[in-house]
Amino acid sequence: TGGFAMSALAIITARGGSKRIPRKNIRPFLGKPILLYSIEAALQAGIFDEVMVSTDDPEIAELAKGAGASVPFLRSARTANDYASTDDVIREVLECYRAAGREFDTFCCIYPTAPFITPKKLSTAMELLKDAESVMPVTTFPYPVLRSLAVDENGHIGYKWPQYATARSQDLETLYHDCGQFYACRTEAFFREGTTDTPGMVPLLLPELEVQDIDTEEDWAIAEVKYQKMMEKE
C-alpha cells in the first residue's frame, strides 16, 4: 500500500438468539454486558475507521449505540438464523457498506462473547495484516493432541495414532486451535476466497489463560475466573 494508511472496519457480530445461554451476547460478565468488552476493545484500539455491530436485535442495537458503536443497518433474517456462518455475516456487512458507497481495505470480525480481547491484540493483528492476507488468533492445545485416545465400536479405548503413543511431548509437532475471538482480513482476499481462512493466513499466538470458549454455564464461570487472572497479570 506504499505510504497510505489502509482503511479498517471492525465488525462485531451479535445476534439476539442463542441456544444454550439465553441472551448470551448481552448477559452481564463480571457485572457488565459481555458485548461491551468487544466494543470497548475495538474503540480503544484507535485503529478502526468505524466500529459497527451487526445484529438483528433492537435491544442489542441500542446497547451498542450507547457504547459508541455504530449500527447502520440491522441484520437480515437470512444471516440471523442458526445456520448462517461468520463469513455470511461479514459478506452481508461489507456489501451493505459497499452499496452505501463505503469501502474498507481491511476488516476485523470480532465475536461478542470474547472479553479476553484487548486493544493491543487487535492492533497487533491489524499490524500483521500489512504483510499477510489474514490473521487468526490461535493457542496451543493443553495436551499433545497426537497422543489422543479414541473409543472403538467395541467400547474399547486405544491410541488414535499408535505411532505417537510413546513419543515424548517435546518431539511431537506443536498443534494449535482457533481462539474463537476475532479474525482480521484484507477485504480483497476475503471476496476472492469467500472466507477469512485465506491461503496467506498467519497466526497470532495467545496464551491458554486468555482463551475460553463460552458455550455453557460452566464455561461462563471459568471465563470469569480466567479474565480476573489475566487482569491481575496485567
Side-chain angles (χ1 to χ4, degrees), residues 10-13 38 42 48 108-112 114 117 122 181-183:
I11 304 168
I12 300 166
T13 60
S38 295
F48 298 107
C108 187
C109 177
I110 299 173
Y111 284 173
I117 295 175
L122 294 173
Q181 295 182 1
F182 64 92
Y183 307 101

Side-chain angles (χ1 to χ4, degrees), residues 73-108:
F73 38 81
L74 285 180
R75 196 184 285 196
S76 70
R78 187 178 59 78
T79 56
N81 68 34
D82 284 334
Y83 302 104
S85 69
T86 300
D87 288 327
D88 293 334
V89 175
I90 294 169
R91 185 175 302 104
E92 179 175 81
V93 167
L94 293 173
E95 284 172 350
C96 284
Y97 272 106
R98 190 173 271 180
R102 292 193 72 185
E103 299 256 4
F104 298 91
D105 301 313
T106 61
F107 65 86
C108 187

Side-chain angles (χ1 to χ4, degrees), residues 58-230:
E59 186 191 354
I60 292 177
E62 284 313 302
L63 183 74
K65 288 179 196 164
S70 74
V71 186
F73 38 81
L74 285 180
R75 196 184 285 196
S76 70
R78 187 178 59 78
T79 56
N81 68 34
D82 284 334
Y83 302 104
S85 69
T86 300
D87 288 327
D88 293 334
V89 175
I90 294 169
R91 185 175 302 104
E92 179 175 81
V93 167
L94 293 173
E95 284 172 350
C96 284
Y97 272 106
R98 190 173 271 180
R102 292 193 72 185
E103 299 256 4
F104 298 91
D105 301 313
T106 61
F107 65 86
C108 187
C109 177
I110 299 173
Y111 284 173
T113 53
F116 299 94
I117 295 175
T118 59
K120 187 171 188 306
K121 287 171 191 167
L122 294 173
S123 312
T124 305
M126 297 307 279
E127 191 62 33
L128 287 170
L129 268 191
K130 290 180 177 170
D131 300 303
E133 284 186 345
S134 60
V135 179
M136 181 191 280
V138 297
T139 192
T140 49
F141 283 93
Y143 183 85
V145 78
L146 290 170
R147 291 225 301 267
S148 301
L149 295 151
V151 177
D152 66 18
E153 60 276 13
N154 305 315
H156 300 148
I157 196 158
Y159 285 99
K160 176 76 178 161
W161 295 288
Q163 67 270 38
Y164 300 121
T166 57
R168 299 185 312 163
S169 303
Q170 59 266 45
D171 295 336
L172 295 171
E173 185 185 3
T174 303
L175 296 173
Y176 305 87
H177 65 85
D178 175 0
C179 293
Q181 295 182 1
F182 64 92
Y183 307 101
C185 193
R186 293 186 183 220
T187 306
E188 165 273 319
F190 173 79
F191 279 114
R192 187 188 72 227
E193 300 296 332
T195 176
T196 54
D197 297 343
T198 74
M201 182 162 70
V202 299
L204 172 62
L205 183 60
L206 301 183
E208 277 174 52
L209 172 67
E210 299 174 19
V211 178
Q212 177 65 42
D213 262 349
I214 306 180
D215 290 318
T216 64
E217 291 292 338
E218 192 177 22
D219 292 341
W220 193 283
I222 292 168
E224 288 188 327
V225 173
K226 281 179 147 184
Y227 180 85
Q228 286 166 307
K229 279 268 174 255
M230 177 177 95

